[in-house]
């Protein structure tokens, strides 16, 4: 598992929290058990003090006597671990149990009559001190402190055994909880791993979008990623198409320049015009590549001027055909469109007409027409007397890379460009058979 992964970070952080929690629990439980064991020992030593009191007797002369038969046999065995002491007037030792032979005398702290104290003294012993004022039948009163001590090994052993058992089971429980937490994390983070695998598949080209069944919280993320992927793919396609369109648009000016090579001085103006036109085409295509797909009108243009320039250029390109151009264009055809778009649309349609015609190409422009309950600012008709295009192939040739006749030189881009531009402008492109010339006719309606 990588240290930078979410699974590792979550598992490590939760492991640290569990370790801190169990350590705190261990400390609390160990302390509680120690206090409980000491409290139990205190009660046991208190009972032993009471047993010594029951075995003691204050005679008429004020002397304290202890019965030889003590209630607890351990008092009589040296080194048994249970020891008894009796002090008179707080300091004077008057009796100790046989088990306390050789031990240091335990001195009690200051106590009030009837008071007691439980404490841990040196050599790991616990002592219980009890002060009593004793009066016999003769009225003689004495002050005694009864002390019972016991070695702490028993308590220490109990606490150690409890601590070992507690730590062992806390360790087992901690490991089990970490394993369970790891399994839960694997299950909880499975949707993220699914998205990661799908993104890798997209990078490898095995998928085109995120199409898995993701958790509800990740559906918005998957949707945004799909939108981003689609947008980037659309940008890439637009750049590719723009490069293809640029190459296609430069074809006609290059053909004209090629025809002017042999006598450059006689075609200086033509060469200059085509160089300017190529510069405009490059700038136009770069703007299209950076555009978002929306159209903005820039200035008013005269369609008749554009048509005349294109016709003049194509007449030089196809000079060997000896074609005739029949133009029915108003002298002033002002509309508000991007000049580059009009050059692309009209230039591609006229170039195709010149390529396919036998001798005649006809151009007709009508302003302010109405069709299918819509008002259009321009209707452009381009006809030729060529063989035409079968009706079943009209929709196919509007796709990129498709040509009506594979034997005719071309790239299958021109009509796709025309169709895309007209669609972006909100217009309509229609194709059919020319009634006057018998070839192909293209009708362009621009709003």
């Amino acid at each position: 598992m990588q240290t930078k992964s979410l699974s590792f970070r979550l598992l490590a952080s939760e492991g640290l929290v569990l370790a801190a929690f169990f350590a705190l629990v261990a400390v609390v439980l160990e302390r509680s058990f120690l206090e409980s064991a000491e409290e139990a020992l205190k009660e046991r030593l208190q009972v032993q003090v009471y047993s010594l009191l029951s075995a003691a007797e204050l005679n008429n002369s004020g002397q304290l006597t202890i019965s030889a038969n003590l209630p607890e046999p351990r008092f009589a065995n040296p080194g048994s671990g249970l020891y008894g002491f009796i002090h008179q007037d707080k300091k004077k030792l008057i009796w100790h149990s046989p088990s306390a032979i050789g031990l240091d005398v335990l001195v009690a702290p200051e106590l009030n009559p009837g008071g007691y104290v439980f404490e841990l003294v040196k050599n790991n012993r616990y002592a219980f001190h009890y002060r009593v004022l004793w009066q016999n039948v003769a009225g003689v009163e004495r002050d005694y402190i009864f002390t019972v001590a016991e070695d702490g090994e028993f308590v220490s052993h109990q606490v150690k055994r409890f601590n070992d058992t507690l730590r062992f089971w806390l360790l087992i429980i901690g490991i089990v909880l970490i394993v369970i937490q790891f399994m839960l994390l694997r299950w909880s983070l499975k949707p993220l791993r699914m998205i990661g695998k799908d993104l890798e598949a997209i990078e490898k080209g095995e998928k085109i979008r995120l199409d898995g069944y993701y958790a509800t919280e990740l559906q918005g993320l998957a949707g945004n990623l799909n939108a981003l992927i689609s947008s980037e793919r659309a940008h890439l396609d637009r750049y590719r198409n723009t490069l293809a369109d640029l190459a296609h648009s430069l074809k006609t000016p290059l053909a004209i320049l090629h025809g002017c090579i042999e006598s450059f001085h006689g075609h200086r103006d033509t060469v200059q015009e085509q160089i300017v036109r190529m510069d405009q085409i490059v700038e136009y295509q770069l703007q299209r590549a950076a555009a978002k797909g929306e159209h903005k009108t820039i200035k008013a243009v005269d369609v008749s001027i554009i048509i005349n320039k294109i016709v003049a250029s194509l007449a030089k390109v196809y000079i060997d055909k000896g074609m005739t151009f029949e133009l029915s264009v108003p002298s002033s055809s002002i509309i508000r469109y991007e000049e580059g778009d009009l050059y692309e649309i009209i230039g591609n349609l006229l170039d195709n007409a010149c390529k396919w015609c036998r001798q005649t190409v006809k151009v007709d422009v009508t302003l302010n027409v109405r069709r299918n309950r819509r008002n259009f600012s321009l209707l452009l008709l381009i006809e030729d007397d060529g063989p035409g295009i079968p009706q079943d192939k009209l929709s196919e040739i509007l796709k990129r890379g498709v040509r009506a006749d594979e034997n005719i030189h071309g790239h299958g881009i021109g009509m796709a460009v025309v169709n895309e531009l007209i669609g972006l402008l909100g217009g309509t492109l229609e194709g059919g058979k020319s009634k006057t010339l018998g070839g192909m006719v293209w009708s362009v309606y621009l709003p």
Side-chain angles (χ1 to χ4, degrees):
M1 185 183 296
Q2 296 181 357
T3 57
K4 292 184 179 180
S5 68
L6 288 177
S7 299
F8 176 82
R9 293 183 178 184
L10 290 174
L11 190 63
S13 59
E14 291 180 359
L16 291 175
V17 171
L18 283 176
F21 172 75
F22 282 137
L24 181 62
V25 169
V27 170
V28 172
L29 291 179
E30 290 172 3
R31 184 63 185 173
S32 298
F33 183 80
L34 176 61
E35 293 177 355
S36 176
E38 290 178 343
E39 184 67 24
L41 179 61
K42 170 188 171 184
E43 293 177 357
R44 189 165 64 249
L45 293 181
Q46 188 174 14
V47 170
Q48 297 298 338
V49 167
Y50 291 154
S51 69
L52 285 180
L53 284 171
S54 65
E57 183 178 353
L58 186 64
N59 58 26
N60 293 333
S61 62
Q63 297 294 324
L64 184 70
T65 61
I66 303 296
S67 172
N69 298 321
L70 296 174
E72 176 56 56
R74 287 196 296 165
F75 281 127
N77 297 325
S80 65
L82 183 64
Y83 318 103
F85 302 89
I86 300 177
H87 292 81
Q88 183 177 356
D89 296 330
K90 301 181 184 179
K91 301 295 183 181
K92 180 182 179 181
L93 178 67
I94 61 173
W95 180 89
H96 64 79
S97 66
S99 61
I101 294 176
L103 297 181
D104 294 336
V105 178
L106 298 180
V107 180
E110 289 292 331
L111 290 173
N112 295 322
Y116 66 87
V117 64
F118 176 76
E119 62 178 352
L120 177 65
V121 296
K122 61 182 179 179
N123 296 325
N124 193 28
R125 291 190 180 95
Y126 288 92
F128 186 88
H129 309 278
Y130 181 71
R131 182 181 178 185
V132 58
L133 292 178
W134 202 327
Q135 187 177 28
N136 61 10
V137 294
V140 178
E141 186 178 84
R142 294 288 186 270
D143 185 359
Y144 298 104
I145 295 179
F146 286 75
T147 299
V148 175
E150 186 171 356
D151 291 336
E153 283 80 4
F154 179 73
V155 173
S156 301
H157 177 70
Q158 278 189 319
V159 172
K160 183 178 183 303
R161 186 173 61 181
F162 174 80
N163 291 346
D164 293 342
T165 303
L166 176 65
R167 292 169 185 174
F168 172 77
W169 284 110
L170 285 179
L171 178 63
I172 296 298
I173 294 173
I175 293 174
V176 172
L177 287 178
I178 289 177
V179 172
I180 294 175
Q181 194 65 43
F182 175 75
M183 296 173 64
L184 289 176
L185 283 175
R186 293 281 298 176
W187 177 75
S188 300
L189 297 177
K190 184 178 179 181
L192 289 178
R193 292 195 299 274
M194 289 175 58
I195 285 187
K197 290 181 180 179
D198 288 345
L199 287 174
E200 289 180 2
I202 291 175
E203 290 178 359
K204 295 177 181 178
E206 298 172 0
K207 284 188 174 184
I208 60 174
R209 65 192 308 273
L210 297 173
D211 54 0
Y213 294 96
Y214 307 116
T216 303
E217 293 79 4
L218 297 178
Q219 289 179 358
L221 173 63
N224 290 334
L225 287 176
N226 280 331
L228 178 61
I229 292 170
S230 299
S231 175
E232 291 301 317
R233 186 173 287 112
H235 279 291
L236 180 60
D237 291 340
R238 186 164 71 247
Y239 286 129
R240 288 174 177 171
N241 294 338
T242 300
L243 289 174
D245 296 347
L246 177 60
H248 186 271
S249 299
L250 293 175
K251 182 179 63 175
T252 299
L254 287 174
I256 296 174
L257 291 176
H258 181 72
C260 297
I261 289 176
E262 296 181 357
S263 61
F264 171 76
H265 295 288
H267 299 86
R268 181 182 297 272
D269 294 339
T270 301
V271 171
Q272 182 64 33
E273 179 184 352
Q274 295 308 314
I275 291 175
V276 172
R277 177 62 189 141
M278 290 172 69
D279 182 67
Q280 292 174 347
I281 289 172
V282 171
E283 183 179 357
Y284 166 72
Q285 295 294 354
L286 289 176
Q287 289 176 353
R288 282 190 61 203
K292 300 296 184 180
E294 60 184 18
H295 175 75
K296 296 182 179 179
T297 58
I298 297 179
K299 62 180 181 179
V301 293
D302 193 336
V303 180
S304 61
I305 296 177
I306 295 175
I307 292 176
N308 289 327
K309 287 183 178 181
I310 294 174
V311 168
S313 298
L314 291 175
K316 297 173 183 177
V317 174
Y318 296 97
I319 191 171
D320 295 338
K321 273 193 162 185
M323 295 184 305
T324 301
F325 289 92
E326 297 181 3
L327 303 181
S328 178
V329 181
S331 58
S332 178
S333 306
I334 305 298
I335 58 175
R336 300 189 66 85
Y337 279 99
E338 172 64 50
E339 186 177 13
D341 291 345
L342 294 178
Y343 266 109
E344 285 291 317
I345 294 172
I346 301 173
N348 280 308
L349 290 176
L350 279 175
D351 183 52
N352 279 344
C354 293
K355 186 184 302 181
W356 288 93
C357 76
R358 295 185 179 90
Q359 191 176 14
T360 305
V361 174
K362 183 177 180 181
V363 181
D364 188 5
V365 173
T366 305
L367 300 177
N368 301 321
V369 298
R370 183 175 178 82
R371 177 178 174 78
N372 296 332
R373 298 182 180 180
R374 284 189 61 188
N375 294 322
F376 295 93
S377 60
L378 174 71
L379 168 60
L380 173 66
L381 297 177
I382 298 179
E383 306 175 61
D384 63 73
D385 59 352
I389 300 175
Q391 192 69 27
D392 57 347
K393 289 188 177 182
L394 285 178
S395 59
E396 291 295 322
I397 66 171
L398 298 180
K399 300 177 181 178
R400 286 182 176 267
V402 178
R403 303 200 300 271
D405 188 348
E406 298 294 334
N407 296 321
I408 301 298
H409 177 71
H411 300 89
I413 296 176
M415 291 307 302
V417 172
V418 171
N419 188 46
E420 291 174 4
L421 282 176
I422 293 175
L424 288 174
L425 295 174
T428 303
L429 175 65
E430 297 177 356
K433 185 177 179 62
S434 174
K435 296 180 180 179
T436 57
L437 299 180
M440 188 65 195
V441 58
W442 289 103
S443 303
V444 178
Y445 294 88
L446 295 180

